[in-house]
Amino acid sequence: MSGRKKPHEAEKEPNAERWLLTYADLITLLMIFFVVLYAMSKVEQSKFEALSTSLRFVFGGGGSLIGQQTGTGVIPLPLESESGLDVVLEEYEKYLAQTGVQQEGSPAAIEDRGLVITIQEKLAFEPAKADLTPRAKAQLTVLSKLLNNVNNYVRVEGHSDNSPINTAVVHSNWQLSSLRAANIAEFLVKEGGVMPQRVSAIGYGEYRPIASNSAAAGRARNRRVEIILLNKKFDQTERNAR
């Protein structure tokens, strides 16, 4: 009768290979996903570095770093572009403007070797001495916050004028310039929290002047310490040397 199924109408066995269709669809979706990620990652390197640097400053201290604590929410990355150095320069100049620090010549400028921050003797040391003044320590504390948001090497260079010196503590301009550079480097590491592997110090004595030693104003400009945040080329040379 009509209720009975014919033999060829009997139910077919389930297809044991249907799971392969789902697996193939999943693999295809994953491949598309990774293709999209790869396409999104092809951004201009310099713009990405500038953006990442700005974000590190924002998340590291809530915007401007002046007067704020350095955050730890973002991992520091190397600054290897001019735009990244500009960010550090801008923040440091804000600090100088707020505190009214004035000195002869440019206190900070971007050069071929990187960002050069110049601290004159009168702002950091007593004449013929290498101990940091309280004013210098306050300035270096702020600078340390900026340095802790990047990963470039920092080189501290001490300089003097050509006036002979021989005191109970220092016996030459070589020694004076080296001690001043070392004391600043040590402060950046011990008090500012900058990684010691990033910092080096050297003294040049009177042999790299930026002004004539024939006048008092020129000698005052030559008595200085330069803190250099090395750019990509010089930074890589410093890394290879270690």
Side-chain angles (χ1 to χ4, degrees):
M1 309 265 299
S2 60
R4 299 179 62 183
K5 294 183 179 180
K6 296 179 180 180
H8 66 274
E9 293 178 342
E11 293 185 0
K12 297 181 179 180
E13 293 292 330
N15 189 348
E17 297 181 354
R18 293 190 67 175
W19 66 271
L20 289 174
L21 297 176
T22 302
Y23 179 77
D25 290 340
L26 177 61
I27 295 300
T28 302
L29 289 174
L30 285 175
M31 183 182 69
I32 294 173
F33 175 71
F34 286 114
V35 168
V36 172
L37 286 180
Y38 177 79
M40 292 174 62
S41 69
K42 303 297 287 185
V43 297
E44 187 174 339
Q45 183 70 13
S46 60
K47 292 183 178 180
F48 176 78
E49 288 174 348
L51 174 61
S52 63
T53 299
S54 300
L55 290 176
R56 286 199 301 276
F57 277 116
V58 172
F59 290 106
S64 174
L65 290 176
I66 304 305
Q68 301 182 16
Q69 295 296 323
T70 302
T72 58
V74 181
I75 300 175
L77 297 175
L79 266 182
E80 298 181 346
S81 64
E82 288 288 328
S83 57
L85 297 179
D86 286 338
V87 175
V88 180
L89 175 60
E90 181 181 356
E91 289 291 329
Y92 185 69
E93 288 180 335
K94 284 181 183 178
Y95 163 76
L96 296 179
Q98 291 175 7
T99 56
V101 175
Q102 296 181 350
Q103 63 182 53
E104 297 295 330
S106 176
I110 295 178
E111 301 179 2
D112 290 341
R113 53 186 172 163
L115 175 59
V116 180
I117 296 172
T118 302
I119 301 178
Q120 291 183 337
E121 177 193 60
K122 64 180 182 180
L123 299 177
F125 305 99
E126 297 294 334
K129 295 183 179 180
D131 295 330
L132 291 168
T133 63
R135 182 177 183 178
K137 293 179 180 179
Q139 186 172 349
L140 292 173
T141 298
V142 172
L143 183 57
S144 297
K145 295 179 182 180
L146 301 178
L147 299 180
N148 281 330
N149 280 269
V150 298
N151 198 33
N152 294 62
Y153 279 103
V154 180
R155 192 166 64 208
V156 185
E157 299 179 353
H159 302 269
S160 70
D161 61 18
N162 66 348
S163 301
I165 183 173
N166 187 5
T167 70
V169 179
V170 294
H171 308 294
S172 67
N173 286 320
W174 284 107
Q175 193 174 27
L176 179 63
S177 63
S178 299
L179 282 173
R180 287 177 171 179
N183 285 345
I184 286 183
E186 186 175 13
F187 184 90
L188 293 176
V189 171
K190 290 188 175 181
E191 304 297 331
V194 181
M195 292 181 61
Q197 294 86 350
R198 296 175 51 203
V199 183
S200 61
I202 188 171
Y204 288 110
E206 63 198 71
Y207 299 104
R208 296 197 180 186
I210 57 174
S212 173
N213 281 305
S214 61
R219 291 193 295 271
R221 289 191 60 192
N222 290 333
R223 297 191 298 268
R224 70 197 189 279
V225 174
E226 295 176 346
I227 302 172
I228 304 118
L229 182 61
L230 299 175
N231 64 14
K232 182 177 181 179
K233 180 175 67 174
F234 286 85
D235 183 88
Q236 190 61 45
T237 301
E238 189 81 6
R239 292 175 191 271
N240 292 338
R242 300 188 183 199

